[in-house]
Amino acid sequence: MRVDLNSDLGETVDGHPTADDAAMFRLISSANIACGFHAGDADSMLASCRLAVENDVSVGAHVSYRDRAHFGRADLEVLPAVLTDEVTEQLAALAEAAHEAGTGIRYVKPHGALYNKIVSDDRRADAVARAIAEFSPGLPLMGLGGSAAERAAVRHSLPFVREAFVDRAYQHNGALVPRKLPGAVLHGTSEVAERAVAMVSEGTVRAIDGRMLQVEVDSLCVHGDTPDSVEMATAVRRALAAAGIEIGAFA
């Protein structure tokens, strides 16, 4: 068995990192690099792309609402046409950095409130998928399986990469528990590692209310800005290896 392991990186705020990027790049196979709208800037994008090349990690565009004030975690009202333009702007910025570093964008993963919005909002999901298809036809889109994002990817002939979160709690309907609620973010390395193995080998995850959910996963995410992200990613790698599951980039 084989699975991708991704993390949100390059998320600097006013030039200050929010994660131990150097350590995380050594543990993952795909990096979702902030494109400047919720975090990051030209310097951090270039630095992240260079780390990706050094560590043989695939570069993903971590696109967001234009929302540095809330780290991209506020659900903003944005017209679909405007959203398409904003996603395109972010893709162009990261593509320039990637080219300078000697690599390219291999996939796109929306961030924060935008990611959650296109789980159910077909119009905004279509706006995101349209931007990707027009920028680079066939570039994969990463998101939750069975979502509006997946439907939009199909409409625009984009490969869809199904993602599961080892460090976030799930609701009974398969959506993530909002960060503002208790228990939304998990911290125990052993619990996270066990969840990772179950997600890949059994296709299951336990929701916050105790019921068991079915999940389909191509890529597992460990958030870079979680305080113990390096320890969690290390534990996940060890647990997957012990279960005979190989880690490798999908793109």
Side-chain angles (χ1 to χ4, degrees), residues 143-223:
L144 288 182
S147 63
E150 183 170 10
R151 296 191 293 272
V154 171
R155 287 194 298 274
H156 291 275
S157 301
L158 304 175
F160 189 76
V161 182
R162 300 163 300 182
E163 182 180 34
F165 294 85
V166 300
D167 56 358
R168 290 291 309 277
Y170 282 78
Q171 301 180 67
H172 70 276
N173 61 358
L176 298 178
V177 174
R179 282 180 174 268
K180 63 184 179 182
L181 298 180
V185 180
L186 308 181
H187 297 283
T189 55
S190 59
E191 177 187 4
V192 165
E194 290 171 5
R195 280 163 58 93
V197 172
M199 284 172 165
V200 179
S201 62
E202 302 171 14
T204 61
V205 64
R206 192 172 297 280
I208 198 167
D209 66 356
R211 72 184 77 183
M212 195 65 74
L213 306 178
Q214 297 295 314
V215 292
E216 294 180 297
V217 56
D218 303 306
S219 183
L220 296 171
C221 178
V222 176
H223 283 92

Side-chain angles (χ1 to χ4, degrees), residues 62-126:
H62 204 31
V63 299
S64 170
Y65 288 133
R66 194 187 297 273
D67 178 32
R68 294 183 73 90
H70 305 99
F71 202 70
R73 289 176 175 157
D75 186 19
L76 305 183
E77 291 297 326
V78 181
L79 292 174
V82 173
L83 182 57
T84 294
D85 288 344
E86 292 186 342
V87 170
T88 301
E89 181 180 340
Q90 292 173 81
L91 292 175
L94 183 60
E96 182 177 348
H99 178 75
E100 185 172 344
T103 186
I105 299 173
R106 305 301 181 205
Y107 66 96
V108 180
K109 174 186 169 180
H111 164 79
L114 179 58
Y115 185 103
N116 292 328
K117 191 68 174 180
I118 63 175
V119 169
S120 58
D121 190 315
D122 286 286
R123 291 179 69 233
R124 293 198 205 183
D126 196 77

